[in-house]
Amino acid sequence: MANVDKKTLEEQIKIQGEIVRKLKAEKADKDKVTEEVNKLLELKKQHGDNGPKKFVLKTPKGTRDFTPEQMAIREGVFDKIISCFKRHGAETIDTPVFELKETLTGKYGEDSKLIYDLADQGGELLSLRYDLTVPFARYLAMNKVSNIKRYHIAKVYRRDNPAMNRGRFREFYQCDFDIAGQYDPMLPDAECIKIVVEILSSLDIGDFVIKVNHRKLLDGMFAVCGVPDDKFRAICSTVDKLDKTFWDDVRDEMINEKGLDSEAADMIGEYVQFKGGLDLVNELLKDKNLTTKKNAVEALEEIKLLLTYCEAYNVSDKVCFDMSLARGLDYYTGVIYEAVLTAHSHQASASGEENVGVGSVAGGGRYDGLVGMFDSKGKKVPCVGVSIGIERLFSIMEAKALAAAKKVRTTETEVYVIAAQKGMVEERLKLCNALWDADVKTEQSYKKNTKMLSEFQYCEQNGIPLAAIIGQSEIETGVVKLKIIGSREERDVPRSDIVQEIRNMLASLKIGKESTSGN
């Protein structure tokens, strides 16, 4: 009888599911759809009571789990990035993973459609944060903060079409560094570029270039090319796609989707080919069309100052003034920049010679008006910042580790405590306790009696450098036998000196390893 009931329920669920799908396709009355959905859920609930529930074992689309090996790589990257941020004097903050919907609305241009909205919660309309910049601006306005240098590393969410093989997810980390405050032109901006160079160089992921441009220069260029004022932001969002697609596609979108005149689009196509350094800036300062626009001239002078500061920081070989760089977010007001790996970059031109790659690994710019949007009196706090494309970096680092076929250490254990005979578990516990109290990273087996050969193999497999061996003879003589796993060298160390000797041996092993890798 139970089997018949189950089959009947399954048939009813199938029929009810078709009813719901039909109503949704017909865009039926919301209340009617809800009523039929509730019927379907009730049938499924009854069906679930007849046997064990079958789970679909997968992560949601655009998300993933991380193995211990992957987490070890990620933590190593985070450590280097945080170290750089702290070296430049930054402090950190945190903000909620969701914000009031009105806080996020209207800040991201066309990308606003990618914001995740949440169900009504007690009268508040909420959305998951899209980035860390808008919450930062809200934080500054809410707390009346006018000067801060901060970093923030946290997850953000985008209702995007994921391309996980290229580091594009719906849930991912952002690593942001921002300087807020009224300062002299281009000094904070140049330091942001310096930070990107330091981080990408420390990760050893290959050659890269940091493209720079200026939002006011783009506006001046659009005006010169005949773009109507009300289309500036829309055309900017289209130009921003040049690092992902070809010029012909961008031109087609400008004309056929954004309604731009073909002559204006072709003039933009000529300007976006320009890239170079100070020489290009000086050439553009002689451009009879651009120099009629005050904002374009101001922008060129600021880029000139920025490139001069980059020379002083000794990073000018990594920086390129690129007129094709747009960055489509609405809140940018000044200098913008984007770092791309030269081995993977996308070179867009009007000539049709393109090379599509994986996209940027860092980006940012100046956003002087964003904080003022949240302040009741419209008080502005000038800001400039950079976001490291951490997921793309992780994808590259993971691929490198896989190609090298090198085992990744997933723990930081320094010493493994081993008993030389049976019945010595309490002595092991005492030694482990002493080492933990001295902040030595220590492990032991959870079996009372163990085989030493198996313990040594465990150390080798997990990259643990030292073993501390204790037996009856060691207890009687007041020593501990320390063994270097790699060389199998052993020495007896007085119990009172064990912590200091472990530290000396670890330091010696680290120096030796660095010396070998240097050769």
Side-chain angles (χ1 to χ4, degrees), residues 6 154 162 164 219 236 284 297 310-312 315 317 396 435 472:
K6 186 173 182 180
M164 296 175 70
D219 288 349
C236 191
L284 290 172
V297 174
C310 286
E311 283 188 357
V315 296
D317 61 321
I396 295 166
L435 295 178
Q472 194 60 45

Side-chain angles (χ1 to χ4, degrees), residues 66 89 170 217 227 234 281 291 307 457 499:
F66 295 98
R170 286 179 167 176
L217 178 58
V227 178
V281 177
T291 49
L307 294 177
Q457 288 175 342
V499 172

Side-chain angles (χ1 to χ4, degrees), residues 388-400:
I388 307 300
I390 196 72
E391 299 296 347
R392 283 175 176 160
L393 293 178
F394 287 149
S395 296
I396 295 166
M397 299 292 282
E398 287 170 12
K400 279 184 66 177

